[in-house]
Amino acid sequence: GKFTKVKAEDYKGKPRVKPLPQRLISQLQNDNIILHEKLKGLLEKAQELNNFDNCKTIAEFKDEINHTLSYTYNEVYEKRIKMLEKNEQWGTRDTCRSAFRQLIMYKRGLIEKKSHSEVKRDVIKELQSKNKDSRVKLVKYDAEYWNNLKKANTITFYEITADFLTGFSKWLNDVEVNTISNYMREIKTIYNIAVDSGLVKLSNYPFGRSNNPLKKKYQIQDEQVDKEVLSKENWEKLMAYSTPYPARQKALDMFKLSYALHGANTNDMCKLLKTDVSETHVKFFRKKTRKTRKRVVKRTITRDESINFLFMKYASPVGSPYVLDLLKSNEDSDSEYTHKRCKGINRNFNRSLERICESIGIPRISMMWARHQMSTDFRENGGTLEQLNLVMGHQSMKTTKGYDHSLPNQKIQDLTKTMNKGLNIKND
């Protein structure tokens, strides 16, 4: 065509058209992949419904299609992450992220196993015969393979079936059983959000129990971990221990303070405020459950000489809002940075406690051990399970029973030892 000259005065004051930044281009490409997966889900659902075994009216067919997923797992996952960050549930957020990463890695592995290992092997054999067509096929295959890997970053709800979850749990064979159950609970929570929002039909729900072999369900399994508390002899050794190393002594003192504060964890002790402490009592909310419960109750501990001494020994500087010198005065107790700081402090305490246990020859313990030791000693001294529930600050009795297993196990062991003495087996 003909080109016409344009005067520069016509473009004065008008903004120039700039090329899109690479980040926005990548986001648009990712949105296209998500849209492609949604359409793929609709087509698969339509093909599933379009069979002669189950005749449906047009209205029923439309209703089934409307219940098909319009959101991907990734989108609901992002909303879940934002909600956890808003509630400052940093630990749960990290677990949710880890579960999502493992899901993506598992899906990528399925793609590699299905296409890369089998198809490419055949193509390489053809290349050895120096066939030109096979070279073209290899290039096309590589492009398709990398495109499939991009799609692996997006997971749709129709992919998450009972068989998919079973394969995923087997793939995590090196991970502890309780870690796998935590991952599965996060996946289940995100699926529940999708069900409650009407994004997923309840008939496709993969979790639960089912005796029908045609409707498989995945059941989350937990492993009961029996944490044996220290014997009286080992406990006396630990309490009598003294060391010239300040880090070890501080870790041991914090362990004792945790025991005295009814098993308070390191996070709660780090964030204990001066306003939570009166002349006679220590009252504080558990940070772990403060924003997740409908009804929160302050834990109340009566101050004694042990608590007073440790408060004075590790008192924070003047002007700090915190009771102990574990956090700096300008650190926000609700920030993610402070959460990571508390995890690091707890990790350092555990390392020091391990060295102490090695030096005096007793089983290894951690800061969390103080909580189990306190609950066992409380029950051994005549405290009821209901009283222990109040002391521990639990909402459910089921949670409290998890801390009550050490005492029955010890009694069973003592009883069986007494019974075995009646066997009258002698060493000749």
Side-chain angles (χ1 to χ4, degrees), residues 23-41:
R23 185 176 64 179
L24 185 57
I25 293 171
S26 301
Q27 185 179 350
L28 289 171
Q29 289 174 346
N30 189 40
D31 292 343
N32 287 335
I33 291 172
I34 291 172
L35 181 61
H36 173 76
E37 291 295 325
K38 289 179 184 178
L39 292 173
K40 185 180 176 183

Side-chain angles (χ1 to χ4, degrees), residues 157-185:
F157 283 102
Y158 73 89
E159 292 178 276
I160 303 175
T161 60
D163 291 333
F164 180 87
L165 293 171
T166 303
F168 178 55
S169 62
K170 289 179 180 178
W171 181 74
L172 294 167
N173 56 355
D174 295 334
V175 183
E176 292 182 1
V177 175
N178 288 336
T179 304
I180 295 174
S181 66
N182 289 336
Y183 288 165
M184 291 300 181
R185 282 194 181 88

Side-chain angles (χ1 to χ4, degrees), residues 189-215:
T189 301
I190 291 173
Y191 213 110
N192 288 339
I193 294 171
V195 170
D196 294 340
S197 305
L199 307 177
V200 186
K201 199 173 180 183
L202 191 59
S203 60
N204 299 327
Y205 195 67
F207 296 95
R209 293 182 181 179
S210 177
N211 296 324
N212 188 347
L214 300 178
K215 293 183 179 180

Side-chain angles (χ1 to χ4, degrees), residues 110-126 137 141 145:
L110 290 178
I111 290 173
E112 290 179 359
K113 186 178 180 181
K114 186 177 179 181
S115 57
H116 189 73
S117 59
E118 296 176 2
V119 180
K120 198 162 186 177
R121 194 183 301 117
D122 299 334
V123 174
I124 289 170
K125 286 180 180 178
E126 290 181 16
K137 185 179 178 183
Y141 167 72
Y145 170 71

Side-chain angles (χ1 to χ4, degrees), residues 289-290 292-297 395:
T289 55
R290 185 177 180 181
T292 56
R293 288 187 183 179
K294 292 181 180 178
R295 180 173 173 266
V296 291
V297 181
Q395 189 174 13

